[in-house]
Amino acid sequence: MQYLPVCFRLKDAPVVLVGGGTVGTRKARLLLRAGANLTVVAPEISDELEGLLAEHGGIWQRAEYTETDLHHKRLVVAATPNRAVNEQIHADATALNLPVNVVDSPDLCTFIFPSIVDRDPLIIAISSSGRSPVLARQLRRKIEAMVPGAYGALAEFAGRYRDRVKQAIPEETPRRLFWEQVMEGTVAEQVMGGRESRAEELLEEQLANTEAHYVGEVYLIGAGPGDPDLMTFKAARLLQTADVVLYDRLVSEPILEMARRDAERIYVGKRRDDHAVPQNEINQLLVDLAKEGKRVVRLKGGDPFVFGRGGEEIELLAQHQVPFQVVPGITAGNGAACYSGIPLTHRDHAQSVRFATGHLRDGSINLDWEQFQSETETLVFYMGLVGLPVICEQLVVHGRRADTPIALIERATTKEQRVLTGTLSTIVEIVEREKPRAPTLIIVGSVVLLHDDLAWFGGR
């Protein structure tokens, strides 16, 4: 994050704008809407800017810029076409520890203006960190279409009831859960429909029975193989509501960053023979946190029900009658195949696909190898990097040809994705040389031959 988003309170604050052309006029509109006591320094200004200053009581100082123009000011904006003047304004402002924005010169800015969706008092700011203002404006237009104008009235309504709700529900977590239900329910609909009296009645009814808001819930969410864009809408929405997030090592940092900033994060990752938190303790922790009235997200790489032990976790929740939801995710096998350009099925190569785990609970790879011999079936092994030599050996011993194509996809769907291809007889040597890291996924079958032709389009 190159800039920290903040909101300045500028009502009656002394602000100086240097420059009075088209760009300066745009900045003046924003500053005056925010209630700034604006002084414009420029030999000439646009007719619109002159009218704005007259309407809002601003000052036009008809002169060239000097350093004394910054004295006793709280914020500085430079919008002149002269680079040397802008550089001097930046130097003078930083010497006085004043926030300064030089339009279209990110290198001279200590703060920048975002694109704004204004639903006062609800304000949404979008910034490209000065890299692409056009992209930020395009995103603003999309958000404008998604956020009704009545959200401002809803924010005002919530503000009026904030102290009332805090008095009725003093504990932070249940109070937040109460507000989340209000904002997603009938009360909010009544406010946005212009029926605030009815909304107030409904809110008071809900406050009269606050015990119902102490019930927690668990969301078992499949985070997919790594790319945050592969998360479902439901997964992203529920992740934003969580008080606590339990996550494992397969969950990428960009996905974890989608959680609320104030959510507690608990790492419960597991590696082969190295479990940070044993599975039975994870199961119990989900129950305990939910019984404290918290919304708990168990964030799992891939899909919770495909080698994710999700079934074990919800068993205990069901026994304790803890409400839960399971949100499926794109399993690693599908994600790795698509992003590496290897179709798992193809009319000319494979008519079926089989998913298998690369190691069992005791660390062995005791699979029914006789079932893995069809040349028209693709094999996908999860967690098989350590056991790769055994997998290759047993497939060949039980009848697979030694020249059967095989691929290893390392850190699938992420920027670090790497695909290694070979055959059952050569891949072990390739892995020893290239040293891929977990997580990796193994695909066996003639579909691997399509990788070279298709990876440029679907792969990384």
Side-chain angles (χ1 to χ4, degrees), residues 388 391-392 404-408 420-424 427 442-445 448:
L388 179 65
I391 292 172
C392 294
T404 299
I406 181 172
L408 265 72
L420 303 176
T421 60
T423 66
L424 291 178
I427 193 66
I442 301 169
I443 300 177
V444 179
V448 173

Side-chain angles (χ1 to χ4, degrees), residues 377-440:
E377 181 174 78
T378 303
L379 303 178
V380 179
F381 291 93
Y382 289 66
M383 301 167 288
L385 182 59
V386 173
L388 179 65
V390 176
I391 292 172
C392 294
E393 177 188 23
Q394 290 301 314
L395 287 175
V396 172
V397 166
H398 288 84
R400 274 288 179 115
R401 292 168 44 184
D403 62 355
T404 299
I406 181 172
L408 265 72
I409 300 93
E410 175 186 5
R411 309 184 76 80
T413 78
T414 70
K415 293 180 180 179
E416 294 78 31
Q417 174 175 301
R418 182 168 57 145
V419 180
L420 303 176
T421 60
T423 66
L424 291 178
S425 63
T426 64
I427 193 66
V428 172
E429 181 181 347
I430 293 171
V431 166
E432 289 177 353
R433 182 177 68 248
E434 298 295 333
K435 302 188 185 315
R437 298 176 298 153
T440 61

Side-chain angles (χ1 to χ4, degrees), residues 166-182:
K166 188 174 183 178
Q167 182 181 16
I169 313 175
E171 294 183 43
E172 180 181 354
T173 295
R175 184 169 66 250
R176 184 182 56 75
L177 295 177
F178 174 84
W179 274 120
E180 287 179 354
Q181 293 186 12
V182 166

Side-chain angles (χ1 to χ4, degrees), residues 109-218:
C109 295
T110 61
F111 78 96
I112 56 179
F113 284 92
S115 287
I116 296 172
V117 177
D118 188 354
R119 300 289 186 266
D120 190 51
L122 179 66
I123 305 294
I124 303 172
I126 306 103
S127 172
S128 64
S129 299
R131 297 298 190 271
S132 178
V134 171
L135 180 60
R137 287 196 294 271
Q138 288 178 342
L139 183 56
R140 184 198 68 194
R141 288 197 295 270
K142 294 180 180 180
I143 296 175
E144 287 268 13
M146 295 169 56
V147 180
Y151 266 41
L154 183 58
E156 287 281 11
F157 178 87
R160 292 199 302 273
Y161 266 86
R162 188 172 181 177
D163 290 340
R164 169 78 178 88
V165 172
K166 188 174 183 178
Q167 182 181 16
I169 313 175
E171 294 183 43
E172 180 181 354
T173 295
R175 184 169 66 250
R176 184 182 56 75
L177 295 177
F178 174 84
W179 274 120
E180 287 179 354
Q181 293 186 12
V182 166
M183 293 299 169
E184 295 173 358
T186 306
V187 172
E189 293 297 330
Q190 295 296 314
V191 173
M192 291 192 290
R195 298 176 291 274
E196 291 200 12
S197 295
R198 179 55 180 155
E200 291 173 356
E201 294 174 5
L202 292 171
L203 187 69
E204 290 293 348
E205 290 176 8
Q206 293 187 25
L207 284 172
N209 182 21
T210 58
E211 288 299 319
H213 305 292
Y214 284 77
V215 178
E217 190 170 7
V218 174

